Amino acid sequence: VGITSSLLEQYPLAELGALRSFGDRLTNATDAAILATANGLLEFHRAHKFCSKCGSTTSSLKGGACRQCTGSDCGSRVYPRIDSAAIMLVTSPCEEYALLGRKKSWPQGRYSTLAGFAEVGETLEQCCVREVFEESGVRLDSNSVQFIASQPWPFPRSLMVGFRAKAFSADKSDDITDLPAIIIDKNELDDVRWFHRNFVSERLEGGSTSLTFIPNEIESEFHVPGIASLARLLITQWATER
């Protein structure tokens, strides 16, 4: 606390906050990577103060890369866990619409790509198919799932693996412009909709990744996550391609 107070006195315009709350304002990729790594390691050390096998305390080892049990009869080591999650930009069969959803806890107007954690025994591609169906009732063409990019997301320990995929046409329809019906799982998401490319491309300005973000009048109707998120990249690539 003393160090923090001293720093605030030295830099009166400084602002303290969670990394996610100001990540969109980081313009230097190296700074962002360092802070993301630090955030992930801090979460790791905070969560593993005791050995899961014997209950003894643990101590930092290898410069903070792992923790080791201090128990004389144990000595087991634990390393930071990475939770793999698939995040996917799902398009309609005609690719002019994208499937975007929102959680109730998000700032008003925020819509993003669907996402979910991989389960035991499944590939990330299979995760895409399962998560989209569970959250929206939309069926994906598994052959259309393509990897785009990945991103560490240390809140607290995820690796986001980004994909693009195409939904099957609406039931009993050969018209690729017919949008598949949506059945929302309210335990997962507050809303899921098909958004036209033109609508989204006109609303890429602004937005934020922060959960405490206060949207303006336009953003309160619709905005996408900020530049710090992989979702923003996936949405922007689709919305601006012609």
Side-chain angles (χ1 to χ4, degrees):
V1 175
I3 295 177
T4 300
S5 299
S6 175
L7 285 172
L8 289 177
E9 292 173 3
Q10 186 177 355
Y11 302 100
L13 297 180
E15 178 183 345
L16 295 179
L19 177 59
R20 185 167 180 174
S21 68
F22 64 85
D24 293 317
R25 286 180 272 167
L26 296 174
T27 58
N28 185 289
T30 300
D31 289 344
I34 291 173
L35 288 169
T37 300
N39 193 82
L41 286 174
L42 285 171
E43 292 287 354
F44 162 67
H45 288 289
R46 185 181 295 120
H48 293 83
K49 295 180 179 179
F50 298 92
C51 178
S52 62
K53 292 184 177 180
C54 71
S56 299
T57 58
T58 61
S59 61
S60 179
L61 197 67
K62 293 186 177 180
C66 75
R67 295 188 70 85
Q68 184 170 24
C69 175
T70 59
S72 58
D73 297 327
C74 186
S76 63
R77 296 182 179 182
V78 60
Y79 291 82
R81 191 182 89 192
I82 305 298
D83 297 335
S84 299
I87 179 169
M88 41 279 180
L89 189 284
V90 177
T91 69
S92 59
C94 65
E95 299 189 80
E96 288 300 308
Y97 293 81
L99 188 69
L100 304 178
R102 61 170 278 105
K103 293 183 178 180
K104 193 171 184 179
S105 60
W106 287 356
Q108 185 177 351
R110 179 172 302 168
Y111 282 83
S112 183
T113 50
L114 304 191
F117 291 105
E119 295 187 351
V120 176
E122 72 177 357
T123 66
L124 287 167
E125 290 83 357
Q126 291 170 336
C127 176
C128 289
V129 175
R130 175 183 56 77
E131 282 288 345
V132 170
F133 181 71
E134 289 179 353
E135 294 182 347
S136 69
V138 173
R139 296 184 181 277
L140 291 189
D141 178 356
S142 59
N143 293 322
S144 73
V145 181
Q146 295 182 328
F147 170 76
I148 302 298
S150 62
Q151 176 191 34
W153 193 249
F155 307 108
R157 52 181 176 270
S158 300
L159 174 65
M160 307 302 293
V161 186
F163 294 88
R164 180 161 167 175
K166 191 182 301 184
F168 278 120
S169 299
D171 290 344
K172 299 179 181 180
S173 174
D174 294 325
D175 187 350
I176 62 172
T177 63
D178 286 349
L179 298 178
I182 295 173
I183 304 174
I184 304 172
D185 181 353
K186 287 291 186 177
N187 293 319
E188 295 277 351
L189 296 173
D190 183 54
D191 189 27
V192 182
R193 303 182 195 178
W194 289 108
F195 290 92
H196 193 273
R197 190 197 307 271
N198 293 341
F199 177 90
V200 177
S201 64
E202 294 171 356
R203 294 165 175 79
L204 292 176
E205 295 295 326
S208 172
T209 307
S210 173
L211 296 176
T212 58
F213 174 67
I214 301 177
N216 59 32
E217 184 176 353
I218 296 176
E219 292 168 328
S220 65
E221 295 295 328
F222 178 90
H223 69 272
V224 298
I227 60 174
S229 68
L230 180 55
R232 175 75 168 228
L233 171 68
L234 297 173
I235 294 171
T236 301
Q237 282 187 349
W238 164 78
T240 57
E241 68 184 18
R242 285 291 184 270

